[in-house]
Every structure is written in C-alpha cells, then in structure tokens.
C-alpha cells in the first residue's frame, strides 16, 4: 500500500486516475573516467601486494596496516592539495582525484582484508594482535 502511494498519480481528462511509473534515466558513463580509475586501481593494488610481502609481527599483519594508513594519508593530502590548488582546471582536478584518489588509494587500501585479518586473529585467540586494527 505504501509503495502504491509513492507512485505519482496522473489525472485523466475523464476524471479517472491512473498510476504512471517514474521515468528512469541511466547515468552517463564516461569511459575516460573508467579508464583512469581502472589504471589507478591496478597500480594501487600492485603496491598493496608489495606491502603484503612485509612479514607479519606475530598475527598482526604489518603490511596491510601500513598500506591502509598510507592510503588514508595520501588521499587526505591529495584532497587538501587539489581543493586549494589553482594550478589545475576543473577537468584535470577531476581526473587526478579519480585516478590517484579513487584508483590508487582505493586499490592500496583494503578494509576487507584488514577486517578479515582482525577477525581471524580474534578467532585464533590473539585479541591483543587484533586491537591495533580497530582503534
């Protein structure tokens, strides 16, 4: 009943009412943005893989933690720089933000792996090793 009320009602000339479904517009897909994010994500993922090769300190996965912290720091710095920069035009800022921010930093950070490693440490009874992940 609530769904029926959310649909706009159109009055016909004879006074009868019919429900008209809302028009759906698909979002525009910009292939240049897709390519920039894809390439940035591939680079960020490769860097994250390199960090994953850092030996774990007990059950604490140092590489994952360092990769996430580096991604957060770089994304914050990039955002602050682009917001105050007059060096780039709007389009260049968008491509840089999407490529380096969303792509590289998104590929470098890995919350799912960080959460999995934390839960695995807790399951294995090493709660102290998981605590730095969740502070």
């Amino acid at each position: 009943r609530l769904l029926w009320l959310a649909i706009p009602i159109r009055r016909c000339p004879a006074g009868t009412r019919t429900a008209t479904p809302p028009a759906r517009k698909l979002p525009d897909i910009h292939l240049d943005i897709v390519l920039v994010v894809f390439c940035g994500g591939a680079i960020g993922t490769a860097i994250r893989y390199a960090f994953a090769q850092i030996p774990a300190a007990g059950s604490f996965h140092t590489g994952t933690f360092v990769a996430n912290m580096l991604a957060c720091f770089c994304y914050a710095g990039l955002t602050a720089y682009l917001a105050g920069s007059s060096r780039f035009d709007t389009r260049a800022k968008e491509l840089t933000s999407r490529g380096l921010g969303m792509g590289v930093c998104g590929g470098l950070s890995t919350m799912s792996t960080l959460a999995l490693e934390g839960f695995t440490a807790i399951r294995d009874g090493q709660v102290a090793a998981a605590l730095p992940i969740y502070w």
Side-chain angles (χ1 to χ4, degrees):
R1 181 162 172 97
L2 291 177
L3 179 63
W4 182 80
L5 292 175
I7 298 174
I9 303 296
R10 177 181 52 155
R11 298 247 183 231
C12 294
T16 60
R17 298 179 346 169
T18 59
T20 57
R24 294 184 182 178
K25 182 181 180 301
L26 296 175
D28 294 332
I29 297 175
H30 300 279
L31 293 179
D32 55 343
I33 298 289
V34 172
L35 184 63
V36 165
V37 174
F38 176 79
C39 291
I43 292 167
T45 303
I47 296 169
R48 183 190 49 180
Y49 178 77
F51 276 110
Q53 304 310 308
I54 297 173
S59 66
F60 179 72
H61 297 270
T62 310
T64 303
F65 181 75
V66 170
N68 278 314
M69 293 302 107
L70 181 63
C72 291
F73 180 77
C74 289
Y75 194 66
L78 176 70
T79 303
Y81 175 75
L82 289 176
S85 176
S86 60
R87 190 173 188 187
F88 301 108
D89 64 348
T90 304
R91 182 71 175 153
K93 284 183 181 182
E94 180 183 19
L95 289 172
T96 303
S97 175
R98 301 285 174 92
L100 293 178
M102 191 182 291
V104 175
C105 292
L108 180 59
S109 66
T110 170
M111 279 311 296
S112 59
T113 302
L114 188 67
L116 176 66
E117 291 169 351
F119 287 131
T120 303
I122 291 170
R123 183 194 67 203
D124 294 342
Q126 299 174 339
V127 177
L131 286 180
I133 293 174
Y134 298 107
W135 45 261

